[in-house]
Amino acid sequence: FSQSQNEELADRARHLLSSLADPGSEEAVREALQSLGSIFITSGWDPVTHTYDEAVNSGRLRLIENESLRLALTRYNAGVEEVHAIHGSAETQYYGQLEPFMVEHTVYSELAAEWWRGALVEAPFETDYEALATSRELWNLVTLRLEIEVAMQSRLERMDALSTEVLGLLNEELGPGAS
């Protein structure tokens, strides 16, 4: 996921919570609740750190003479691990908490992300939106998801800065014309 996708997910979560906290109309709450599936989207994020890990484990990272570059690479890798951990917590929340909640309290085909709805079979019964709108558990799940997205956004911003730092140091180290 990119920063803009994380921001969009956070905005959807804020909108849903605002709609639940101060419902303008039953239809507005229903529409906000129907975005639930798109708020909890997760995608696999498995960074490749084999080269860095091998360099650390073999002691070759110490062969980089530029101490600033070594430190920047280490900070970058720590940032990758941090983003990976936050992404893992989002997946854990989805599979461990949200899916069981949705199975019990909703008709998922009504709440799935819009791009999935066309592929699903319409159910002969409906979600009880009134009960869903007053669910403390749902409120907490969405709030926790928002917290994860805000944390992810700050880490991705940090990763962007770290990338720029590493690339700048590599440019300095390799000199002009190096690619």
Side-chain angles (χ1 to χ4, degrees):
F1 269 21
S2 68
Q3 271 184 281
S4 63
Q5 289 169 315
N6 286 94
E7 289 169 10
E8 188 177 325
L9 288 174
D11 287 344
R12 284 187 206 139
R14 282 187 195 96
H15 174 71
L16 175 56
L17 291 171
S18 296
S19 296
L20 294 176
D22 186 21
S25 70
E26 188 175 312
E27 186 58 31
V29 170
R30 183 183 182 106
E31 284 177 20
L33 285 168
Q34 286 180 330
S35 72
L36 190 59
S38 63
I39 291 169
F40 286 91
I41 293 170
T42 61
S43 65
W45 195 79
D46 195 17
V48 178
T49 60
H50 303 299
T51 302
Y52 178 84
D53 295 340
E54 192 270 330
V56 169
N57 293 336
S58 68
R60 290 187 188 136
L61 188 64
R62 284 185 261 143
L63 295 176
I64 297 174
E65 293 177 9
N66 183 326
E67 188 176 333
S68 296
L69 179 57
R70 272 197 325 267
L71 184 58
L73 287 168
T74 301
R75 283 194 306 263
Y76 181 84
N77 190 67
V80 167
E81 290 174 3
E82 211 175 6
V83 169
H84 189 251
I86 292 169
H87 182 75
S89 68
E91 285 188 337
T92 298
Q93 182 195 32
Y94 180 83
Y95 294 112
Q97 297 168 317
L98 182 70
E99 264 191 354
F101 174 86
M102 294 198 32
V103 165
E104 185 174 337
H105 299 285
T106 73
V107 176
Y108 182 71
S109 57
E110 294 175 359
L111 306 175
E114 288 183 39
W115 52 87
W116 287 113
R117 290 183 195 165
L120 302 175
V121 176
E122 194 171 316
F125 35 84
E126 293 182 353
T127 297
D128 181 351
Y129 287 98
E130 191 173 311
L132 193 58
T134 59
S135 168
R136 182 184 310 220
E137 185 176 1
L138 176 64
W139 178 273
N140 289 334
L141 285 170
V142 174
T143 300
L144 288 168
R145 178 59 178 193
L146 176 57
E147 182 180 44
I148 288 170
E149 288 309 317
V150 169
M152 183 69 84
Q153 285 177 29
S154 71
R155 294 329 184 278
L156 289 173
E157 288 169 7
R158 174 93 172 112
M159 289 300 298
D160 189 41
L162 288 169
S163 296
T164 301
E165 179 186 4
V166 167
L167 290 173
L169 288 166
L170 284 171
N171 259 347
E172 287 175 18
E173 189 70 22
L174 298 175
S179 324

